[in-house]
Amino acid sequence: MIFGLSLGCSLATVSFASNDQFKDALTASNSGNTALLDQYALAMQNDVLGYYPEYFKLNADLVMQSPNSIIQFAQKYPQSAMAEKLAADYVEEKAKVMMFADAVPVLPYVTNPDRSESCAVAQTRAQTGDPLVFAEYRDLWLSTNSMPDLCLGLTRMMLNSPLMTTEDKQQRLWTQLRAGQIGLATSVAQNLGVNITIAQLTQIQANPLGYLWSAPKNNAADYAYLIFALGRLSDSDLTAGLGAVNRAAEGVPADVQKYLYRTVAYIGGTTVLKNNFNRIILNYFDSSYGIPFSQEEAEIYARQAIRFGAWESLIRAISVMGVDQQREDRWQYWLARAYEQRQDDASKQQAKGIYQTLAQSGDDYHNLLAQEHVGETYSRFDQAQPTPSDVSMLNADINFNRAFALKAISAPALYSNREWNWAVRQAYLKQNDGLLLAAAQKAAAMGWYDRAIYAAERTVNKHNYALRYLTPHQTAVVLHSGNVGLDPAWAYGLMRQESRFVTTARSNVGAGGLMQIMPNTAKLVARQMGETYNPAALSDMNTNVRYGTYYLSMIQSQLSNNAVLATAGYNAGPNRALRWQPSDQNLVADQYVESIPIDETRNYVKNVMTNTIHYGAVLGQGKQYLSKWMKMIPLRTEQQQ
């Protein structure tokens, strides 16, 4: 270790080529000691981690680097994780300061950008006159969700593109007004020649209901203010918005009228946490049909239709989605569900064809649901093994070697995981299943479970489900699950989703351990079990599993002994899962799951249910089927309400 080296020390005092020097180089980088990084670059030049000192130095003042310095690094270390990361970050930094000419020559070295980097690439391409770039990013155009600054910058570029029609701009204006995005909306309005002001919008925002009672309806600016007022009213008081929409829609052009209904429908459909489910929201989505839908609007429309079993509305909602969106397994599954409800043979045959395609194309949530619709159960348990040549290939693979080297010295997971994910991606792109299986097997043997799963999941033709669905700590999981009457397949399914078996996992809200237990939950469980709560005990694998299985069993008993409700409750809290239960009639479980209003929880339940099926097979429980777990969702009882 050489933390104490002065800048004037000789290179001879530096101990040569050891992976451990990575940490010293990282410390030098964090302290801004670039002279010391030069020494490490020379000392580590023959090391598997030898490119890190060079990377740290270039990254220290990235925006000031020349394109050639980035390209030289990328060419010196081709197809490497940090070369791609450096190139992507460089393009991003240059886009932030609008130095696009420097970014252009680096673009070919960016192959796996995140969202912000992707928008930087798109801005750079747009500056070079690429006519296709805006068409590739149309999903951003109408998005009202938060997005990176560079993506906002890209949408501003799109606003001034001749490819965006007047209709495109009007839809963006109305969408932003509905969302209350005053600054963005006024920019679009100015581009369209619609005379709205921030001062007037601010005044309307202070009293939207008062404005609606006497709103003029004579021109494009009046219609814009009308949409804005209804959106602000509905956002603060949905009931008042629902009561005001019919009057607001009187005497305006048909497209404006439809968008007013769209406004209350979208806001109502995205505020279920606050307002619960309301059938009139779906009616207003139906009333708004006939003007373009954004991707966000179409999904909310579809989920409202699913919740209320409005199958023709669902077909309409899917029909207005983009082509790629429609092709997703989830929407193909729901299209089949809707066609199945029709009484004509042709529709039923269409449904059957979709189910058969989904049933044969994978083993994720919607594939498993489709399998049951065509009368299949699931018992797949492939156990392909890596060959000796696959292991030799792994030992020679520089990308995996970097990942294993970083893991061996307990380097920050930011670096070891990035190297691993990059190595997996390269093997996946080459469809090198043997390499992936060898890597997964080695990672699992050393207890690096989350990365083992990550690799095993990405095989294309040869699979090993014992690696995809690892069962570490099996004695404890089976024992504690059995003690509270839980199927260990479900416990494993939840644990895999919560932590991927990283015992030190910590969430941003304080949940910890294999089953990601919140401190307050642990206190409750300890009290219920007659134990004294000890915060340190949660870091113990055995205690974490014991508390987690007990809590899952406890909320299951509170939620009608229903696994779907309990799974949702484990993630979002039992009170929310209870609130989402139907109040008028029982609900099919897949409809309940798809209409969960929190994206994280909706995906969580799907993943846990899918995991559970696979773990049933891995644990030797025979044929598996989702309907075993996804029972009908009952009405809330009077006591629950």
Side-chain angles (χ1 to χ4, degrees):
M1 308 294 285
I2 52 174
F3 288 2
L5 283 176
S6 67
L7 294 181
C9 70
S10 69
L11 187 61
T13 63
V14 180
S15 58
F16 275 151
S18 164
N19 288 334
D20 286 323
Q21 288 182 323
F22 169 87
K23 292 183 178 179
D24 301 322
L26 180 58
T27 299
S29 174
N30 290 338
S31 63
N33 194 337
T34 55
L36 194 53
L37 285 175
D38 286 335
Q39 297 183 21
Y40 282 119
L42 186 58
M44 296 173 65
Q45 61 183 320
N46 297 318
D47 194 10
V48 69
L49 302 179
Y51 73 168
Y52 273 98
E54 296 176 65
Y55 166 78
F56 291 146
K57 185 175 180 181
L58 287 170
N59 197 51
D61 194 10
L62 188 56
V63 75
M64 299 304 295
Q65 303 295 335
S66 70
N68 284 340
S69 64
I70 307 302
I71 293 170
Q72 287 170 4
F73 184 87
Q75 292 176 342
K76 184 177 181 181
Y77 304 104
Q79 295 184 318
S80 64
M82 303 316 294
E84 200 282 339
K85 179 63 175 167
L86 189 71
D89 286 345
Y90 183 77
V91 171
E92 184 177 30
E93 292 303 310
K94 287 296 185 178
K96 286 178 182 177
V97 295
M98 303 185 73
M99 297 175 67
F100 297 107
D102 283 348
V104 169
V106 180
L107 288 183
Y109 300 93
V110 182
T111 60
N112 190 35
D114 62 23
R115 196 179 190 204
S116 179
E117 293 161 354
S118 179
C119 288
V121 169
Q123 284 200 40
T124 305
R125 287 174 54 196
Q127 287 293 322
T128 66
D130 185 337
L132 300 177
V133 63
F134 294 137
E136 296 171 17
Y137 289 83
R138 287 187 68 89
D139 61 312
L140 293 177
W141 177 249
L142 297 176
S143 176
T144 56
N145 295 329
S146 61
M147 64 179 70
D149 287 343
L150 285 170
C151 294
L152 283 174
L154 179 60
T155 61
R156 285 192 287 270
M157 283 186 175
M158 293 171 78
L159 180 61
N160 294 308
S161 167
L163 294 179
M164 308 311 292
T165 67
T166 299
E167 290 74 18
D168 289 332
K169 295 175 184 180
Q170 178 177 280
Q171 189 182 7
R172 178 169 167 83
L173 171 62
W174 288 355
T175 300
Q176 290 171 333
L177 289 167
R178 179 201 69 206
Q181 296 175 340
I182 291 176
L184 294 172
T186 51
S187 296
V188 179
Q190 184 177 19
N191 185 281
L192 278 169
V194 177
N195 186 27
I196 62 173
T197 67
I198 291 178
Q200 176 70 343
L201 290 169
T202 303
Q203 185 176 345
I204 291 171
Q205 186 165 257
N207 183 15
L209 183 59
Y211 177 83
L212 285 169
W213 281 114
S214 57
K217 303 175 182 179
N218 300 314
N219 52 48
D222 290 346
Y223 306 146
Y225 288 137
L226 196 64
I227 290 166
F228 178 77
L230 186 62
R232 294 308 83 218
L233 175 62
S234 301
D235 192 57
S236 61
D237 185 346
L238 181 62
T239 301
L242 292 171
V245 64
N246 286 328
R247 175 166 177 167
E250 291 176 356
V252 299
D255 59 339
V256 178
Q257 184 180 85
K258 287 179 182 296
Y259 203 81
L260 289 167
Y261 286 116
R262 175 79 51 80
T263 294
V264 291
Y266 181 83
I267 291 173
T270 53
T271 58
V272 172
L273 283 173
K274 181 169 64 175
N275 296 298
N276 219 328
F277 295 96
N278 188 334
R279 183 63 170 78
I280 198 172
I281 296 301
L282 178 59
N283 295 343
Y284 285 155
F285 264 124
D286 286 336
S287 297
S288 77
Y289 184 78
I291 58 171
F293 278 77
S294 70
Q295 180 171 303
E296 296 168 4
E297 291 167 351
E299 290 206 1
I300 298 301
Y301 184 16
R303 290 201 179 97
Q304 291 292 309
I306 289 166
R307 174 71 184 199
F308 295 104
W311 305 111
E312 293 303 314
S313 294
L314 177 56
I315 291 169
R316 284 195 294 272
I318 295 173
S319 75
V320 298
M321 293 178 177
V323 173
D324 290 341
Q325 196 178 5
Q326 288 183 26
R327 289 174 178 166
E328 293 174 14
D329 283 356
R330 56 178 168 160
W331 299 122
Q332 283 296 295
Y333 171 77
W334 284 109
L335 185 61
R337 285 274 274 121
Y339 282 150
E340 193 177 36
Q341 310 306 314
R342 286 177 166 175
Q343 298 307 307
D344 62 285
D345 290 341
S347 295
K348 292 186 183 298
Q349 282 299 117
Q350 279 184 284
K352 185 177 179 180
I354 295 172
Y355 286 140
Q356 288 175 335
T357 299
L358 288 173
Q360 296 166 7
S361 63
D363 51 25
D364 285 335
Y365 176 77
H366 296 99
N367 307 119
L368 294 172
L369 286 172
Q371 286 174 15
E372 292 201 38
H373 281 276
V374 295
E376 296 178 9
T377 55
Y378 181 82
S379 59
R380 185 170 185 171
F381 187 38
D382 297 9
Q383 296 192 70
Q385 298 295 320
T387 65
S389 63
D390 293 329
V391 175
S392 297
M393 196 185 315
L394 175 67
N395 293 335
D397 188 281
I398 184 64
N399 295 313
F400 279 114
N401 282 340
R402 287 186 180 121
F404 283 123
L406 288 164
K407 182 64 175 176
I409 62 172
S410 300
L414 172 68
Y415 294 99
S416 56
N417 285 355
R418 178 178 290 136
E419 291 284 5
W420 182 268
N421 295 352
W422 177 263
V424 168
R425 184 171 187 270
Q426 302 315 298
Y428 167 77
L429 291 173
K430 297 171 185 174
Q431 295 194 15
N432 194 335
D433 291 347
L435 178 58
L436 289 170
L437 290 173
Q441 189 176 75
K442 181 175 179 178
M446 61 192 287
W448 203 6
Y449 299 125
D450 61 324
R451 294 305 92 189
I453 292 170
Y454 186 82
E457 279 186 323
R458 279 153 182 79
T459 56
V460 178
N461 298 306
K462 296 190 298 184
H463 311 298
N464 185 311
Y465 280 73
L467 288 171
R468 287 192 180 194
Y469 296 91
L470 290 166
T471 55
H473 320 299
Q474 189 169 144
T475 300
V477 174
V478 172
L479 172 64
H480 297 311
S481 298
N483 286 342
V484 292
L486 293 182
D487 187 325
W490 186 20
Y492 264 125
L494 185 141
M495 196 182 307
R496 183 183 189 271
Q497 184 62 24
E498 286 286 355
S499 67
R500 291 291 177 98
F501 308 110
V502 178
T503 55
T504 58
R506 289 290 179 277
S507 76
N508 58 0
V509 292
L514 291 172
M515 299 194 75
Q516 289 290 284
I517 302 171
M518 293 288 289
N520 287 340
T521 299
K523 292 176 185 176
L524 170 65
V525 171
R527 188 164 60 247
Q528 291 283 334
M529 299 181 76
E531 299 178 3
T532 301
Y533 172 66
N534 178 4
L538 279 183
S539 299
D540 172 70
M541 176 278 295
N542 193 64
T543 301
N544 198 282
V545 173
R546 188 161 58 89
Y547 278 21
T549 51
Y550 184 93
Y551 179 63
L552 182 59
S553 174
M554 187 173 77
I555 62 175
Q556 183 187 26
S557 65
Q558 295 171 0
L559 295 169
S560 307
N561 287 312
N562 186 289
V564 167
L565 292 176
T567 302
Y570 196 97
N571 178 261
N575 288 335
R576 280 179 172 168
L578 173 65
R579 281 190 62 209
W580 300 332
Q581 278 183 251
S583 57
D584 52 352
Q585 60 182 5
N586 293 346
L587 188 64
V588 179
D590 62 352
Q591 291 175 245
Y592 174 90
V593 172
E594 196 62 56
S595 60
I596 289 174
I598 301 176
D599 291 347
E600 177 194 329
T601 304
R602 182 171 60 254
N603 293 328
Y604 177 92
V605 175
K606 291 179 181 181
N607 288 332
V608 170
M609 292 292 97
T610 303
N611 292 346
T612 301
I613 293 300
H614 290 295
Y615 274 113
V618 169
L619 293 172
Q621 297 178 357
K623 291 189 180 295
Q624 301 293 308
Y625 45 95
L626 272 176
S627 56
K628 169 186 172 182
W629 294 96
M630 298 184 62
K631 303 294 187 185
M632 187 72 71
I633 306 298
L635 294 173
R636 278 175 287 168
T637 65
E638 290 186 11
Q639 292 82 359
Q640 289 174 320
Q641 295 182 47

